[in-house]
Amino acid sequence: MPPGGGGPMKDCEYSQISTHSSSPMESPHKKKKIAARRKWEVFPGRNKFFCNGRIMMARQTGVFYLTLILILVTSGLFFAFDCPYLAVKITPAIPVVGGILFFFVMGTLLRTSFSDPGVLPRATPDEAADLERQIDIANGSSSGGYRPPPRTKEVIINGQTVKLKYCFTCKIFRPPRASHCSLCDNCVERFDHHCPWVGNCVGKRNYRFFYMFILSLSFLTVFIFAFVITHVILRSQQTGFLNALKDSPASVLEAVVCFFSVWSIVGLSGFHTYLISSNQTTNEDIKGSWSNKRGKENYNPYSYGNIFTNCCVALCGPISPSLIDRRGYIQPDTPQPAAPSNGITMYGAMQSQSDMAAATPLLQSEPSLTSDEIHLPGKPGLGTPCTSLTLGQPTPPSSMPNLTAEATLSDILPLKDEHGGHQFLTPDEAPSPPRMLGSGSPLTHSRTMHVLGLASQDSLHEDSVRGLVKLSSV
């Protein structure tokens, strides 16, 4: 032995044994990290999204950019070439009022173009299948020959029968006043029309902003056209008409643009004012769905009968929230781990082993088996006590001789010298497998574990003793 050392064991290095088994029964299911995607990225309609889904527009936006350029160019020329002269000659309030109208027009235009008009979400495959089954059951298509079921439903609104049409694209029955936009490929709630000038559909959620846009644009167009003419007249009084046009060529361009656009814009504003006062949509008015007269058979069930109330409902009512949640995250389906075959085999082996142990007394804490504690029915007791069980005892071979009444447990298990008492298995040294001590087991826990009710059993087979030896070697 080397001096000052504890022998060769002093130089041994011990490595920690991992308690986490790599078996499928004990290893947790490892999920692959998938980058979360937002709903607008997989939106089924023909729309374009910007700013991470905050801006929603139609796919055809070329006319919208033309509208934006016309407003910006006309207003910019007016503020650059006309307002300085008018502010000096007439009043400084002219550029102030023009600026307020311009910002209001731009705000309502962007709000109309960049918002959700009221798109209805499409049905999921399960919802569509359930709806198809309900349609088949309601129309009795299962009996007789094939009959395509009707795709309409009737509801009563203020005493008026309204038909709900089935949308074959969205797989839903559209709510009242909703329609499917062929350009955006979406069902829109309270659909008014698809406006290419704003690059979006006009529906329940952005109709008020559309109306305020065309109304304010009408005022801005008339305002610019009126003061451009005023500017040209004041200059022509000083230098003549031709010289006035040469001095301010931008005023000529502004006057031409405003002259050709004011008629359509003012006319469109008047038309939508009429629709709001009667609580109708452009789609309903074109189709002639309702009559303005209350006494007629097809009267409008959505009108309150009062122009002021209809205007307040359309312009001052609360804005309904968006139903598509375009910035929400897609919830991935939780994968179900499949148990491999080796895991099933292992679990079956443990289960069979624990079933054997349920009928075999197991020394776990401090019990010792003596001839007084175990009596074999119909056979004499074991003569020699079992003093201890040696850890690591190999499993007896299958050719092990059968036990007889004269054989003792000490003949099978080797004895160990006693030094200061018996050595027993502890729970840490010999952990019991699952279902070792079930509720139906005849074992009871106490200071020493005894076998209760063994006299009522037929016999203690030799397989039980073999199971004891196998479990003691775990």
Side-chain angles (χ1 to χ4, degrees):
M1 177 180 291
M9 298 300 293
K10 186 74 174 180
D11 301 331
C12 292
E13 295 182 358
Y14 297 93
S15 60
Q16 184 179 2
I17 299 176
S18 176
T19 58
H20 296 285
S21 174
S22 60
S23 62
M25 293 299 300
E26 299 179 7
S27 60
H29 180 74
K30 296 181 179 179
K31 300 180 180 179
K32 296 182 179 179
K33 294 183 179 179
I34 302 176
R37 302 180 65 187
R38 295 188 184 269
K39 295 181 180 179
W40 66 266
E41 300 182 67
V42 294
F43 188 72
R46 291 194 291 265
N47 294 89
K48 293 193 300 186
F49 297 87
F50 305 94
C51 298
N52 199 14
R54 292 178 176 87
I55 296 176
M56 177 180 180
M57 298 184 67
R59 187 168 296 179
Q60 299 82 7
T61 55
V63 184
F64 164 73
Y65 295 124
L66 176 61
T67 304
L68 205 61
I69 290 174
L70 288 175
I71 295 175
L72 291 175
V73 170
T74 306
S75 301
L77 293 176
F78 175 74
F79 290 119
F81 295 98
D82 297 296
C83 284
Y85 182 85
L86 295 173
V88 174
K89 294 295 181 178
I90 301 177
T91 175
I94 294 176
V96 175
V97 175
I100 294 174
L101 286 174
F102 171 75
F103 284 110
F104 191 83
V105 167
M106 292 302 300
T108 52
L109 171 62
L110 299 180
R111 183 66 172 82
T112 305
S113 303
F114 294 166
S115 62
D116 172 22
V119 176
L120 296 171
R122 301 190 182 189
T124 61
D126 294 337
E127 294 172 347
D130 183 68
L131 186 58
E132 292 287 342
R133 184 170 56 254
Q134 293 179 9
I135 294 175
D136 293 339
I137 294 175
N139 296 278
S141 60
S142 58
S143 61
Y146 175 74
R147 238 184 356 176
R151 299 290 174 169
T152 57
K153 284 185 178 181
E154 292 184 352
V155 295
I156 306 298
I157 299 178
N158 293 330
Q160 186 71 271
T161 301
V162 179
K163 287 186 178 181
L164 307 182
K165 295 182 179 180
Y166 181 82
C167 180
F168 289 90
T169 302
C170 301
K171 306 295 183 183
I172 61 173
F173 278 99
R174 291 193 290 261
R177 315 187 84 176
S179 184
H180 191 88
C181 177
S182 59
L183 296 177
C184 295
D185 199 23
N186 297 316
C187 278
V188 181
E189 194 174 5
R190 198 186 181 277
F191 178 75
D192 191 88
H193 69 289
H194 181 91
C195 183
W197 296 97
V198 300
N200 203 352
C201 291
V202 178
K204 183 177 181 179
R205 299 190 69 249
N206 63 349
Y207 180 77
R208 67 179 61 185
F209 302 105
F210 171 77
Y211 176 73
M212 289 187 290
F213 162 67
I214 59 176
L215 188 63
S216 59
L217 183 60
S218 301
F219 285 111
L220 179 62
T221 305
V222 173
F223 181 84
I224 292 177
F225 181 74
F227 282 100
V228 164
I229 298 300
T230 303
H231 180 206
V232 172
I233 291 174
L234 292 177
R235 278 188 177 273
S236 62
Q237 290 177 355
Q238 297 176 356
T239 60
F241 182 74
L242 294 179
N243 292 330
L245 296 180
K246 292 179 181 180
D247 294 340
S248 180
S251 301
V252 179
L253 179 61
E254 298 168 37
V256 172
V257 173
C258 292
F259 177 79
F260 286 102
S261 60
V262 68
W263 308 106
S264 58
I265 296 175
V266 173
L268 186 62
S269 301
F271 174 69
H272 279 278
T273 302
Y274 155 75
L275 293 178
I276 288 178
S277 62
S278 59
N279 202 340
Q280 292 188 80
T281 64
T282 303
N283 189 37
E284 293 171 348
D285 184 77
I286 293 175
K287 293 180 179 179
S289 303
W290 315 115
S291 174
N292 294 330
K293 296 182 180 180
R294 194 73 178 179
K296 290 292 186 68
E297 183 179 355
N298 61 334
Y299 63 90
N300 186 5
Y302 308 106
S303 177
Y304 292 90
N306 188 347
I307 296 178
F308 180 76
T309 306
N310 289 336
C311 293
C312 289
V313 169
L315 301 177
C316 303
I319 300 176
S320 58
S322 178
L323 300 177
I324 56 176
D325 188 24
R326 58 187 184 273
R327 298 195 67 246
Y329 288 99
I330 300 175
Q331 299 296 332
D333 297 333
T334 304
Q336 298 295 334
S341 58
N342 57 352
I344 297 176
T345 305
M346 180 182 296
Y347 180 73
M350 295 174 63
Q351 184 177 5
S352 61
Q353 193 176 15
S354 61
D355 290 338
M356 184 196 306
T360 306
L362 176 66
L363 299 178
Q364 277 194 330
S365 55
E366 297 180 356
S368 61
L369 298 179
T370 62
S371 59
D372 298 334
E373 293 176 348
I374 299 180
H375 300 281
L376 301 179
K379 293 189 178 186
L382 298 177
T384 307
C386 179
T387 57
S388 65
L389 294 179
T390 306
L391 293 177
Q393 183 71 19
T395 304
S398 58
S399 60
M400 176 179 171
N402 296 332
L403 296 178
T404 60
E406 291 78 17
T408 60
L409 190 60
S410 59
D411 298 334
I412 306 303
L413 301 177
L415 299 178
K416 191 175 182 180
D417 295 338
E418 298 179 4
H419 299 283
H422 296 282
Q423 296 182 358
F424 304 103
L425 295 177
T426 63
D428 297 333
E429 295 173 343
S432 60
R435 294 174 51 199
M436 180 62 69
L437 299 177
S439 58
S441 176
L443 303 180
T444 58
H445 294 274
S446 61
R447 181 64 178 174
T448 58
M449 298 171 59
H450 303 282
V451 179
L452 300 181
L454 291 179
S456 61
Q457 300 180 0
D458 296 334
S459 63
L460 181 63
H461 302 286
E462 53 269 21
D463 294 338
S464 302
V465 180
R466 292 180 182 178
L468 175 62
V469 177
K470 290 181 179 181
L471 295 178
S472 63
S473 63
V474 177

